[in-house]
Amino acid sequence: MTGSSMAAGVLCRPAVRLRCLSGLRKHMALAQHTHARTKNDDEDKKEALGHQEVTVHAGYKLYYNPSAYHQAPSSFNSQADGDEEERCLAVHAPSTWQQSNRYSISCSRHLSSMKNTLLDLTFNKGPESQKSSVQPYHRTHMPPDVKVDSRAFLKGRTEYASVSHDSTQRPQPVEWDEALSLLQRVSALRGSMKPSNVSSFFSELSRLKSDHMSLLRNDQRFAMLLRYSVEHLCLFTHPQLLDVLQAFVWMDMPSNHSVLEAYEVELSRRADQMTFHQLMFAADLWRCIGKQVPDFLHHLYNSVHPYLNQVGLPEMVHLFYIVGEGRHCPKYLIRPVEKLLIGHLQQLHPEEVGTVCLGLFKSQTSLSEKSLTFIVNKACSEVEKMTDFAMANVLKYLRFSYLYHRQWMEAMVEEVPRRAPGMGVKGLMHVALTCSALHYSNDQIFSAIAERVPSLVPHCRIKDVCKFLWAFGQLGFLPTQSPNFYPSLTEALRQRKAMFQRYPEHLLTGLLGLAFVSQFPEDLIALALSPEFVNQALKNTQLELKKDFFTLNESVALEMPQWKGPRLSSELREEVSEILWKFAQTDVCQKAEVTEAETALQDLLGGEQFVSKRMILPHTRSIDLEVHLNSAGQPIPVNSVTPQSSPDLVPSVQEREFSIGVPITEDLLVQLIKTNNSPHSPPTPSNPKATSLRRLTPDDGERLFHLITKATETLKSSTHNNSNKIVKVAIQVWTRNHYCIQSQQLLGLHAMKIRHLKLAGFRVVELRPQEWFPLLKKSRREKFAYLHCKLYDNL
C-alpha cells in the first residue's frame, strides 16, 4: 500500500462514519415516529374493533382489510409470490421454435401487463346489480390450496449452509421476560454501547418467540438499539454485520423499514472487502427479509469473475436463485454462468434443475438453444423425481424461450394427469399457460386440469382465472369436454368484479378466451363494454387494450345479433381498424406466401380487379384475399382497378414444361374432368377434407394442362348466369403459427375468424401451409391447379 493510499485508509473510517450518521439520524427519527404512530394506530384500531364487535351478532366478527389487495410495492415477498410470470413474459425473447408470429397480427396483448390501470368505477349501481352482488365464499369445507417450498433445493446439500439462511434452524426461543431484561440492559448501557454489544443484543432478541415480535418492534428501547446499530454500523466486523442482518430475518423486520437502507449502503460499501461466500450469504438474507437491493446485487455480480474458481455447484445454483429473486441478470454474467451450468449440469438434483429454470425465467435471461436443450434433456431424465414446483419451473422457462421440446411435452402427457389431483392453482395455471404459449394441445392434459380446477376456484387469483380461460379457449377446449370448467370460472369472474377496477386487462383476457369457444356471459360483457369501463381502462391509451376491446365488441356483434347492451363507439372502432390495417400493410401483406397467392389468383381469374387483399373482419387481426363469383363460377370484379392489358392467362405451348412428379389431389382431377364435360355448369363440390395425393406421369401432366387450359378458357368466355346471387369467397393464407403444433387444429382467434366469416356470409377457402408452401417454389401451372381446386371445391 502506498503512502497516499494508507493515509486515505486512515481517514476513511471516521469520514464514512460521519456520512452514515449525518444521513441516517433522520432515518432513525422517522423510524421512532413511525413506531410511535403505529402503536397509537394499533390502539385506535383496537378501540374501533371493540366498538364494532358490540354492533354485530354474538359469535361473529367482521374483518375489513382492503390492503390485502394492495400490498406495498417495496415488499419483495409479495412480488415473489405474485406476478413474476407477468413481468417475465412482457419482454422480447429469442424464439427457438417460433421466432415470432410474423404471419398474423398479434393474437392478443401479452398476458403480461406491467402497468395496471386503477379504475375509479362504481359497480353494481342499480337494483338489478345489487341483486347479483358477490356472495362470500363458504370456506368451511373447502380444502386448502397446495403450498410449495421455493427453497426446497437448499435441503439437498449441506454445502448450501455457507451461503444461505436456514429457516429450520431457529435459535432456542426465549420468553418475553428475558427480552425485557435485555432491553433494560440496552437502556442502561446507553453511551457505553460497543459494536459487539449491539450485535449480541440483536442476536439474543432474535430468539424471542414470533408472536411477541410485534411487541419488541414497538418498544422504544428497541428503537434505541436500532439507533445504536446505525451509529456503530461502520465499526462492525463483517461477521457482526451479517449476524445483525440475520437477526433482522428472525425478527420479521418489515422490508420497508428505514434502518435497512443504512445496512444496504454499508454492505454495498464493503462488497470489495468481503468474500464471495459472505456476499452470497448477505444476498440470501436480503431475500429472506424481502427487500430489493439492486445496488448490493450489482456488487455481488461484479465479484463473480474474480471468484469464478470458488463457484462450485452449490454456489452456482444459489446464484441462479439470487439472480431470479433480483429479477435481473447483467449481460456480462450470462456467458460465464452458462458455461458453469453446462459443466455441472449432470450433477444437478431434480429440484436444482427447477431452481435454475426459475432463476432464468424470473430474470428474463436467454441462453443459447443448445444449452436450453441440454437443460430440458436433464429435466426429462429426472422428471419423475421432480416436485410439482420444479416441474412448473421448467415449463415456465420453456414458455419464456418458446422452445417446443417434444420429449418433455410427451412426458407432461403422462405426468400432468397423474399429478393434477394433488397440484395447486399456480402449478396447474403454468401448465396450461405453457401449453397455450407453445400451441400444444393435448386432451389428456387439459381434461385433467379441467377436472381439478373447479374445486380450486376459491383459491384462484383473478389472473389465474383469466389465464385459465385464455389458455383453454386458445387451444379450443370446448365446453362440452368438461361441463363444470367454464361455468365455475365464469362465476369466479362475477365474484371478483371488484378486482377489475385495478386489473381491467384481466377481464378482457378472460372474456376473449371465452369468446374463442363461443361463450358470451352477458353481464360481464355489459361491464367490459360499458363506456365508463372502456374510458377508464384506456386512460393511458394502451393500444393492446384497444385491440382487445375491439375484438370483443365485434365478436359480440356477430355472434349475438340480439345484443342490446353497450357497444364501442364508431370512432374507436375506426381508429383500431386503421391501426391494424396499417400494420398489416407493412408486415403481413408483404409475406411471400401472401403475395404469391394474390398474384396467382389474379392470373387465374383474369386480372387485379378480381382479387382484393384486405381485412374483411379487422377484429380478427389477419388479412384475407377476397374473391366474388357468380353462381356459374365466373369471377366478378371486387376492386375498382381498371383491368390492364395482360398476356393470356394460359401459357403458350412453348412454356408448357410440367415437372415430372407434380403433386396433385384426386379432387383436382375430378373437378377438372367435370369442368371439361360440363363447361357451362359449376363443378360439383367434393369432400374438402380429402388429402390423398398421387403423382402424375409426364403424359398425365400434359393431359392435365390441356384440361386446365380448356376450363380456364371456358370460364372466361361463359356468359351463362342462372342467378344474380354473388358468392363471396374469403381465402385464408395460413402459416404453422396459426395452428396447434403438429396438428390441423387452428388456434382460438383463427378458429373464431372462420366462424365469423361464415356468419358474415363468406365461403372460406383455407390455403394450409403444408399444401401451399411447397408450391411456392413450383411452376405457375402447379399453383393454378391447386388454387383452382381449392376455389371451386367450396362452391
Side-chain angles (χ1 to χ4, degrees):
M1 180 181 291
T2 65
S4 61
S5 62
M6 288 180 65
V10 172
L11 294 174
C12 175
R13 290 179 64 175
V16 171
R17 182 180 181 185
L18 288 174
R19 285 198 299 271
C20 290
L21 292 177
S22 64
L24 294 170
R25 281 194 176 117
K26 294 179 181 179
H27 285 293
M28 293 313 304
L30 178 62
Q32 292 180 12
H33 175 70
T34 301
H35 286 301
R37 186 177 59 187
T38 302
K39 186 175 182 180
N40 293 333
D41 289 346
D42 288 343
E43 293 174 359
D44 292 340
K45 288 178 182 176
K46 289 177 183 177
E47 224 174 300
L49 284 175
H51 173 72
Q52 193 175 33
E53 290 173 11
V54 173
T55 62
V56 296
H57 294 291
Y60 293 88
K61 296 182 180 180
L62 301 179
Y63 296 97
Y64 173 64
N65 184 19
S67 63
Y69 288 104
H70 305 282
Q71 300 184 22
S74 60
S75 174
F76 203 90
N77 288 326
S78 64
Q79 290 183 0
D81 191 44
D83 300 336
E84 72 272 8
E85 69 279 356
E86 295 193 351
R87 280 187 288 277
C88 296
L89 292 178
V91 299
H92 60 280
S95 171
T96 53
W97 164 62
Q98 52 175 41
Q99 275 285 335
S100 59
N101 191 344
R102 303 289 296 173
Y103 300 98
S104 68
I105 297 176
S106 176
C107 197
S108 179
R109 70 188 179 288
H110 287 295
L111 295 179
S112 54
S113 187
M114 295 281 291
K115 299 178 181 177
N116 295 319
T117 308
L118 181 60
L119 304 184
D120 300 320
L121 298 181
T122 303
F123 298 104
N124 305 322
K125 292 182 178 179
E128 294 181 2
S129 300
Q130 292 175 1
K131 291 179 182 178
S132 60
S133 59
V134 178
Q135 297 297 323
Y137 292 119
H138 300 286
R139 297 180 179 273
T140 307
H141 303 291
M142 185 185 69
D145 192 17
V146 178
K147 301 297 181 183
V148 297
D149 182 5
S150 61
R151 294 167 63 88
F153 72 97
L154 296 174
K155 302 173 183 177
R157 301 179 194 270
T158 57
E159 295 91 333
Y160 285 114
S162 63
V163 292
S164 66
H165 169 76
D166 188 351
S167 59
T168 64
Q169 299 297 319
R170 192 177 185 95
Q172 187 68 26
V174 299
E175 297 297 332
W176 177 242
D177 291 341
E178 296 179 56
L180 286 176
S181 176
L182 288 168
L183 291 173
Q184 289 172 359
R185 289 176 56 194
V186 169
S187 180
L189 284 174
R190 292 182 178 273
S192 60
M193 189 82 68
K194 297 179 181 179
S196 58
N197 298 135
V198 176
S199 174
S200 176
F201 279 131
F202 275 116
S203 296
E204 290 296 318
L205 290 171
S206 69
R207 296 167 53 195
L208 184 65
K209 292 182 178 179
S210 57
D211 53 349
H212 289 143
M213 282 300 175
S214 61
L215 292 175
L216 175 65
R217 291 195 299 268
N218 289 328
D219 194 290
Q220 289 299 317
R221 290 165 294 187
F222 181 73
M224 185 186 303
L225 184 61
L226 288 174
R227 189 190 67 188
Y228 291 151
S229 76
V230 173
E231 291 177 350
H232 292 84
L233 198 55
C234 302
L235 303 177
F236 282 132
T237 64
H238 298 336
Q240 287 173 344
L241 187 60
L242 293 174
D243 285 344
V244 174
L245 199 62
Q246 188 169 35
F248 288 160
V249 176
W250 292 125
M251 292 175 178
D252 296 325
M253 184 70 75
S255 61
N256 58 351
H257 198 291
S258 58
V259 76
L260 296 179
E261 298 289 342
Y263 279 82
E264 181 190 359
V265 171
E266 179 62 19
L267 281 166
S268 297
R269 185 186 69 81
R270 296 187 184 201
D272 294 338
Q273 307 163 25
M274 299 173 73
T275 67
F276 182 71
H277 282 73
Q278 286 175 329
L279 291 172
M280 290 285 289
F281 184 49
D284 194 64
L285 292 174
W286 285 123
R287 171 66 192 97
C288 294
I289 291 173
K291 179 175 174 55
Q292 297 185 70
V293 286
D295 291 338
F296 175 77
L297 291 181
H298 174 72
H299 291 287
L300 169 64
Y301 300 151
N302 285 340
S303 70
V304 173
H305 276 288
Y307 292 106
L308 202 58
N309 59 340
Q310 298 182 24
V311 182
L313 188 151
E315 291 84 3
M316 179 204 69
V317 174
H318 199 252
L319 182 60
F320 275 107
Y321 173 76
I322 295 298
V323 163
E325 299 309 308
R327 302 306 200 274
H328 173 67
C329 181
K331 292 183 179 179
Y332 61 79
L333 193 61
I334 296 175
R335 293 300 163 243
V337 172
E338 181 179 358
K339 186 176 179 181
L340 280 172
L341 174 60
I342 298 304
H344 291 298
L345 187 60
Q346 295 309 315
Q347 287 74 46
L348 291 182
H349 294 164
E351 289 308 296
E352 291 172 330
V353 176
T355 299
V356 168
C357 288
L358 183 61
L360 292 167
F361 171 78
K362 285 186 174 182
S363 62
Q364 307 171 37
T365 302
S366 300
L367 300 185
S368 65
E369 181 180 354
K370 183 178 180 181
S371 296
L372 179 56
T373 303
F374 284 156
I375 295 172
V376 186
N377 287 343
K378 171 64 177 177
C380 278
S381 66
E382 304 279 359
V383 65
E384 294 181 358
K385 302 175 185 177
M386 280 184 168
T387 62
D388 298 341
F389 180 70
M391 186 183 78
N393 291 339
V394 177
L395 287 166
K396 288 180 186 180
Y397 195 53
L398 286 177
R399 182 169 90 240
F400 168 77
S401 303
Y402 284 101
L403 175 71
Y404 171 71
H405 192 286
R406 183 182 59 81
Q407 185 182 357
W408 174 264
M409 298 311 295
E410 288 176 353
M412 293 300 98
V413 176
E414 300 295 328
E415 291 296 319
V416 173
R418 179 174 68 84
R419 297 169 182 250
M423 290 181 70
V425 170
K426 293 181 183 178
L428 293 170
M429 184 269 287
H430 285 301
V431 173
L433 206 55
T434 299
C435 288
S436 173
L438 300 181
H439 299 176
Y440 184 76
S441 177
N442 182 275
D443 285 345
Q444 291 174 261
I445 292 177
F446 276 74
S447 294
I449 297 174
E451 185 176 350
R452 169 68 168 160
V453 164
S455 64
L456 295 176
V457 163
H459 298 295
C460 289
R461 300 163 296 178
I462 189 62
K463 67 176 183 179
D464 296 324
V465 174
C466 296
K467 288 178 180 180
F468 273 128
L469 291 173
W470 170 268
F472 276 68
Q474 168 83 336
L475 296 179
F477 188 85
L478 300 177
T480 54
Q481 294 177 261
S482 179
N484 294 328
F485 178 76
Y486 285 110
S488 64
L489 291 178
T490 304
E491 184 59 27
L493 293 182
R494 296 188 176 99
Q495 293 173 334
R496 292 160 173 77
K497 275 186 178 181
M499 292 299 294
F500 298 134
Q501 300 177 45
R502 185 171 179 83
Y503 304 106
E505 70 276 14
H506 289 330
L507 177 59
L508 293 174
T509 295
L511 290 180
L512 286 178
L514 286 168
F516 292 161
V517 290
S518 295
Q519 298 290 296
F520 295 93
E522 295 189 12
D523 56 330
L524 295 173
I525 291 170
L527 167 62
L529 296 181
S530 64
E532 298 85 0
F533 188 91
V534 174
N535 292 335
Q536 292 290 341
L538 298 181
K539 269 187 175 179
N540 294 332
T541 320
Q542 297 182 46
L543 175 60
E544 296 298 336
L545 286 185
K546 287 184 178 182
K547 294 177 184 177
D548 289 348
F549 275 120
F550 181 55
T551 299
L552 179 64
N553 182 81
E554 301 305 296
S555 300
V556 169
L558 281 166
E559 299 208 41
M560 301 176 65
Q562 77 286 358
W563 176 253
K564 302 298 182 183
R567 296 285 307 277
L568 292 185
S569 66
S570 57
E571 293 79 10
L572 180 58
R573 298 202 301 269
E574 291 172 4
E575 176 191 351
V576 179
S577 296
E578 184 178 353
I579 292 172
L580 292 171
W581 175 235
K582 284 182 178 178
F583 175 78
Q585 285 179 304
T586 59
D587 186 77
V588 185
C589 291
Q590 307 301 321
K591 299 299 180 183
E593 61 271 17
V594 174
T595 57
E596 283 292 322
E598 180 186 24
T599 302
L601 282 168
Q602 289 172 351
D603 291 346
L604 179 65
L605 298 177
E608 296 180 8
Q609 69 271 27
F610 296 109
V611 182
S612 174
K613 180 167 61 178
R614 68 185 187 95
M615 300 175 80
I616 298 174
L617 301 175
H619 71 279
T620 60
R621 312 184 192 189
S622 55
I623 66 165
D624 314 88
L625 298 176
E626 184 177 355
V627 171
H628 290 182
L629 304 171
N630 63 21
S631 60
Q634 293 176 302
I636 300 173
V638 290
N639 290 328
S640 58
V641 178
T642 304
Q644 301 175 354
S645 57
S646 58
D648 292 339
L649 284 177
V650 183
S652 63
V653 177
Q654 288 80 5
E655 292 177 313
R656 285 181 278 169
E657 297 176 354
F658 269 94
S659 303
I660 297 177
V662 178
I664 198 70
T665 64
E666 296 289 348
D667 277 347
L668 179 58
L669 293 177
V670 173
Q671 289 293 333
L672 291 172
I673 291 171
K674 289 186 177 181
T675 301
N676 185 42
N677 293 335
S678 305
H680 299 293
S681 301
T684 303
S686 61
N687 180 10
K689 296 183 179 180
T691 57
S692 59
L693 302 175
R694 75 180 181 88
R695 291 291 184 181
L696 299 181
T697 65
D699 291 339
D700 290 336
E702 187 69 17
R703 177 171 175 269
L704 175 60
F705 177 77
H706 286 298
L707 289 173
I708 295 175
T709 300
K710 190 169 183 179
T712 306
E713 290 175 344
T714 302
L715 184 64
K716 290 178 63 181
S717 61
S718 175
T719 57
H720 180 71
N721 186 4
N722 295 325
S723 170
N724 293 326
K725 183 179 179 181
I726 297 176
V727 179
K728 296 186 292 185
V729 182
I731 300 168
Q732 309 301 303
V733 185
W734 297 129
T735 72
R736 64 176 183 173
N737 283 328
H738 293 97
Y739 291 91
C740 296
I741 194 167
Q742 297 179 342
S743 168
Q744 294 303 304
Q745 177 186 333
L746 286 167
L747 295 171
L749 181 67
H750 312 302
M752 185 176 74
K753 177 181 181 177
I754 299 297
R755 195 167 69 242
H756 288 181
L757 283 170
K758 292 178 180 178
L759 288 172
F762 283 83
R763 302 283 183 91
V764 179
V765 172
E766 301 180 59
L767 306 187
R768 295 187 174 92
Q770 69 274 18
E771 299 170 355
W772 177 241
F773 277 53
L775 288 174
L776 296 179
K777 297 181 180 179
K778 299 293 184 179
S779 68
R780 186 171 67 162
R781 282 160 293 187
E782 293 176 73
K783 296 172 188 173
F784 281 0
Y786 173 77
L787 291 174
H788 187 281
C789 172
K790 296 294 292 187
L791 186 59
Y792 288 102
D793 268 354
N794 287 271
L795 289 181

